[in-house]
Amino acid sequence: MIKNMSQNGGFESACRALAEADPVLSTFIDAIGPCRLTPAPDPFVSLVEAIVSQQLSVKAADTIFQRLVAICPRSLVTPKAIFSIPEEELRGVGLSRQKIAYVKDLAERWIAGEIRPKEFHRLPDEEVIARLVAVKGIGRWTAEMFLIFALNRTDVLPVGDLGLKKAVQRAYRLRKIPSPERIQKIAEPWRPYRSIATWYLWKSLNNVTKGS
């Protein structure tokens, strides 16, 4: 059975289970408060944003994406809009030729029906990842972020994410950045809520506390 946050009784039961399974997470959950993951309203927009943000700071990525929104008809980022905008206009908002190729490929596949977002909710995580990485510019990390933030899947563990690596190193007082295998071992007690545990570890890097 495929589970997302809402299907799994919300965050409260997940947080209780994580707190009981791992005293480190228990401390973070108490300090940070309720998990605030919410599903993204538009899967296409989520993937375009993910492509735009690759190798950029949050501020730079947001600036470029807002410029992209501004040149789309009615300020709507849709597959048809992206596919129809000339390359020179996309270059004008700050997109590289490589990223233009990526978003155009995504839009073309969406229009052709090769990617059907309505099917994602019934597909297992690995099948969603397999379909997404077929798109130019979408790798496993981007697909995993999509599973967590757009689909709110409960049990995704992005072992290649640098933020998670740094958070695990600091939280568990490791001498060096942990390998994917080490993270998987530490995360075993978090199942089936590894996405939520990952969210708390990300927040722990910013020393986020309740109400912030």
Side-chain angles (χ1 to χ4, degrees):
M1 181 180 177
I2 300 165
K3 295 180 179 179
N4 58 29
M5 308 302 183
S6 60
Q7 292 171 325
N8 213 45
F11 298 115
E12 291 184 7
S13 60
C15 288
R16 283 196 299 270
L18 288 170
E20 291 175 2
D22 188 325
V24 172
L25 287 178
S26 179
T27 300
F28 291 154
I29 291 167
D30 183 61
I32 295 167
C35 182
R36 295 181 295 278
L37 273 171
T38 55
D42 189 317
F44 180 76
V45 173
S46 295
L47 288 170
V48 172
E49 283 190 279
I51 291 172
V52 169
S53 66
Q54 290 172 0
Q55 298 178 322
L56 293 176
S57 68
V58 173
K59 184 177 180 180
D62 185 61
T63 297
I64 293 172
F65 184 74
Q66 292 308 317
R67 289 174 183 166
L68 176 62
V69 171
I71 66 171
C72 288
R74 294 180 296 163
S75 297
L76 296 176
V77 180
T78 65
K80 288 184 178 179
I82 294 296
F83 193 70
S84 65
I85 295 173
E87 182 173 334
E88 57 268 25
E89 287 190 44
L90 293 172
R91 288 276 291 168
V93 305
L95 287 175
S96 66
R97 285 191 173 87
Q98 190 175 50
K99 288 185 179 180
I100 291 169
Y102 294 165
V103 296
K104 290 278 191 181
D105 186 55
L106 174 65
E108 185 175 11
R109 290 172 185 269
W110 212 279
I111 293 168
E114 293 179 32
I115 299 178
R116 300 176 184 272
K118 290 183 179 179
E119 295 180 352
F120 288 162
H121 295 282
R122 63 177 178 79
L123 295 175
D125 294 348
E126 289 300 324
E127 180 61 28
V128 175
I129 290 171
R131 295 193 182 196
L132 291 179
V133 298
V135 179
K136 292 178 182 178
I138 295 182
R140 186 175 182 89
W141 178 86
T142 300
E144 288 172 337
M145 295 303 104
F146 180 81
L147 286 172
I148 294 172
F149 291 104
L151 300 186
N152 273 189
R153 293 290 176 90
T154 63
D155 200 34
V156 179
L157 184 68
V159 294
D161 182 76
L162 182 58
L164 178 60
K165 290 179 180 180
K166 289 182 176 180
V168 169
Q169 180 187 17
R170 189 169 81 170
Y172 295 88
R173 300 180 180 180
L174 305 179
R175 288 168 47 189
K176 59 182 181 180
I177 292 286
S179 65
E181 293 76 20
R182 183 74 185 275
I183 294 174
Q184 288 172 339
K185 185 175 180 180
I186 291 171
E188 192 60 32
W190 306 345
R191 291 180 184 271
Y193 303 116
R194 293 180 297 174
S195 300
I196 302 167
T198 296
W199 184 87
Y200 276 103
L201 283 158
W202 279 331
K203 291 296 182 182
S204 75
L205 288 173
N206 300 321
N207 295 315
V208 176
T209 56
K210 291 179 181 177
S212 61

